[in-house]
Amino acid sequence: MSETIETPQNDSWSTAKRFLVLFAAATALLAGVAVAHYYVAMKTERVERETSELLNVELGKAAIARDLGNTISDLMFMARHNEPQGLFENDDPKSRRVLAEQFLIFSAQKRKYDQIRFLDRTGMEAVRLNYNNGNAVIVRDDQLQNKAQRYYFSETLDMAPGEVYISPFDLNIERDRIEQPLKPMIRFGTPVFDHSGRKSGILLFNYLGERLIGAFRGATANISNHVMLLNSDGYWLSSPRADDEWGFMYGNNRTFAEAYSNSWQRVQADDSGQFYDDEGMFSFTTVYPLLYATGRPWPSGQSGSLAADRGYYWKVVSHVSSQSLAAATGKFFSRQSPLYAAMLGLLAIASLLIARTSVRHKRAVSQVAIERRVRGSLEEKVDERTQELKETQAEKDQVVQQLIQAEKMAAIGTMASGIGHEINNPLYAILGKAE
């Protein structure tokens, strides 16, 4: 059999073919790893995102509930602290001054109430304290107003002991105009009683809602660019876009409910949850100010703004847009592409080195096999030649033996002839004499 000896051209072609096979297999393996990495990374990121969004909306809800609860505690403290002293019972100017001084001290310490008021049974402001630009001021008697026609007065006065009224969350209005700069406001009220248990009027706090919004934004700072606080009509109370806020106060129809109608229906359907739709991912929870702030049964009475029943709620909603979700995929590829490109390059180099080494090894093995066959052939020829020489030598030895034997026979003949001659000479002599 003839052996094919690898030439430099054959080596290059063999190396190229082996490289392509190895590199294709390595690339397929790397692609499988990349696909698995992608799905694991996307699933992990999705779980982390969903968990983070739910956690942050719950933190926002907790911050609101905590702020409302603290305000309720302040309100009930002032009511229960002053009732035993009889400060809500009569029109005594001295009692009114003591009450006003207590309001002043309390307001200066808390610094979160725009107004603290005591309204008597007729709706007349008996004591009012205003807090403006860090200064608490007791309002003069001639500037006090009658609020009997305001819904919050009648709502609060109709309540039982220990019940708390919370007004809708809106902007403060002065002289029929929205106060500037904007002053978000929530009114907290509770009825107060005299020693006999008869209602003396109501205690009312005008809570500066910007503090509540600030607490909400601080608690949701990690998702501040896409978290919002909505009222029950879908209007923004807090939004990443300031232009969206308080639309109902300006009579415009731009609402979350209008912008994301299908999503809003799902948000309204449950107290909390998370879902995906064409608009992206929504995580939400619900704040019921009365329920979560007081833990008491729903108070009776009706309000035009649904402040006193279960219809009074706020929604904390985070919205991760579909574009942001898609960007997460792009971010994965932008982060991982250099890594996989480097790995692909290393695999190419490794495949080339392995291909070269394999071809060289194959060539070396082939050369060793050829050398063994050549050596074997030479040994066979040597053995044949040796055998021939042995046979020739044996023939020579036989001829020599034959020659030696012939020489021996010739020598014996010669000796016999000589002996015969020696014997014949005397006989011939004797015969001659006999004759």
Side-chain angles (χ1 to χ4, degrees):
M1 290 179 64
S2 62
E3 293 287 340
T4 300
I5 299 177
E6 298 286 344
T7 64
Q9 284 186 339
N10 288 338
D11 277 1
S12 299
W13 177 240
S14 297
T15 300
K17 290 193 295 183
R18 183 62 59 88
F19 165 75
L20 290 175
V21 171
L22 291 173
F23 185 62
T27 302
L29 179 62
L30 183 62
V33 171
V35 170
H37 183 194
Y38 170 77
Y39 281 108
V40 170
M42 290 298 99
K43 184 176 181 179
T44 301
E45 182 168 342
R46 175 171 176 155
V47 171
E48 290 178 349
R49 179 174 57 244
E50 291 174 352
T51 303
S52 175
E53 295 298 319
L54 286 174
L55 174 63
N56 278 280
V57 296
E58 289 297 334
L59 287 174
K61 171 184 174 180
I64 292 172
R66 184 170 53 251
D67 222 46
L68 293 174
N70 291 338
T71 302
I72 296 283
S73 296
D74 288 347
L75 179 71
M76 299 309 294
F77 169 78
M78 288 298 292
R80 299 300 171 257
H81 175 71
N82 290 299
E83 279 179 345
Q85 301 180 47
L87 299 181
F88 298 125
E89 294 188 20
N90 53 59
D91 295 332
D92 177 33
K94 183 177 180 181
S95 297
R96 294 290 185 262
R97 283 197 300 271
V98 172
L99 187 61
E101 290 295 333
Q102 291 198 19
F103 284 177
L104 182 66
I105 296 171
F106 184 81
S107 177
Q109 289 178 340
K110 295 296 183 177
R111 293 182 295 178
K112 63 179 183 179
Y113 300 113
D114 183 62
Q115 292 182 353
I116 300 177
R117 292 179 285 175
F118 166 52
L119 283 68
D120 64 23
R121 288 190 304 272
T122 67
M124 186 65 190
E125 293 177 336
V127 177
R128 187 176 87 197
L129 182 134
N130 290 345
Y131 184 81
N132 293 313
N133 300 319
N135 297 315
V137 178
I138 299 173
V139 177
R140 298 196 313 268
D141 292 345
D142 60 347
Q143 294 180 342
L144 299 177
Q145 303 175 33
N146 190 295
K147 302 293 184 179
Q149 302 304 315
R150 300 301 298 271
Y151 66 88
Y152 57 79
F153 173 74
S154 57
E155 289 279 348
T156 307
L157 192 64
D158 288 340
M159 289 181 172
E163 290 186 334
V164 176
Y165 172 80
I166 303 178
S167 75
F169 195 4
D170 55 19
L171 298 177
N172 195 48
I173 295 177
E174 289 291 339
R175 297 178 182 177
D176 297 326
R177 290 188 179 183
I178 297 173
E179 185 176 356
Q180 297 293 335
L182 300 181
K183 188 181 287 186
M185 194 73 64
I186 306 175
R187 294 173 181 86
F188 293 79
T190 189
V192 291
F193 301 83
D194 60 21
H195 286 97
S196 63
R198 190 167 65 102
K199 288 181 181 177
S200 301
I202 69 170
L203 180 64
L204 196 69
F205 284 5
N206 284 18
Y207 171 71
L208 292 169
E210 190 61 39
R211 290 180 62 94
L212 183 145
I213 292 175
F216 167 73
R217 290 174 176 172
T220 58
N222 292 332
I223 57 171
S224 59
N225 63 337
H226 60 271
V227 68
M228 57 203 80
L229 180 63
L230 310 172
N231 69 10
S232 57
D233 293 321
Y235 283 96
W236 285 279
L237 303 177
S238 175
S239 169
R241 287 169 40 90
D243 292 344
D244 292 334
E245 297 173 346
W246 311 109
F248 62 95
M249 297 295 297
Y250 296 97
N252 69 53
N253 295 322
R254 189 173 68 251
T255 67
F256 178 92
E258 188 269 337
Y260 307 100
S261 57
N262 294 331
S263 304
W264 175 242
Q265 291 177 12
R266 298 183 66 176
V267 169
Q268 282 188 306
D270 292 303
D271 281 349
S272 62
Q274 189 172 65
F275 61 88
Y276 291 83
D277 62 16
D278 293 340
E279 302 293 343
M281 184 185 80
F282 293 87
S283 307
F284 66 94
T285 189
T286 308
V287 179
Y288 294 102
L290 297 176
L291 179 64
Y292 293 107
T294 68
R296 295 178 178 274
W298 300 106
S300 59
Q302 295 183 356
S303 166
S305 300
L306 299 177
D309 61 23
R310 196 174 176 85
Y312 182 33
Y313 60 82
W314 305 326
K315 292 285 185 178
V316 179
V317 180
S318 81
H319 173 214
V320 181
S321 67
S322 54
Q323 292 82 1
S324 297
L325 295 176
T329 300
K331 189 180 296 183
F332 171 84
F333 286 115
S334 65
R335 285 199 308 259
Q336 303 302 330
S337 292
L339 172 63
Y340 280 101
M343 293 175 65
L344 192 63
L346 291 175
L347 287 176
I349 295 172
S351 298
L352 180 61
L353 292 176
I354 293 173
R356 285 180 176 176
T357 302
S358 176
V359 169
R360 289 173 182 173
H361 176 72
K362 182 178 179 181
R363 184 176 63 184
V365 170
S366 177
Q367 289 176 343
V368 169
I370 292 172
E371 290 175 358
R372 286 178 178 174
R373 286 185 174 84
V374 171
R375 189 182 300 114
S377 177
L378 290 176
E379 288 177 353
E380 288 177 0
K381 290 180 179 180
V382 170
D383 290 342
E384 290 175 359
R385 185 59 179 166
T386 300
Q387 186 64 30
E388 289 175 357
L389 290 175
K390 287 181 179 180
E391 293 176 354
T392 301
Q393 186 63 38
E395 291 175 356
K396 287 182 178 181
D397 291 344
Q398 187 177 4
V399 171
V400 169
Q401 290 296 329
Q402 290 176 353
L403 291 174
I404 292 174
Q405 188 66 27
E407 288 178 357
K408 286 182 179 179
M409 294 302 293
I412 292 173
T414 300
M415 184 182 293
S417 176
I419 293 172
H421 180 73
E422 290 296 330
I423 294 174
N424 286 332
N425 283 339
L427 288 176
Y428 288 147
I430 295 171
L431 288 174
K433 291 178 174 185
E435 292 179 355

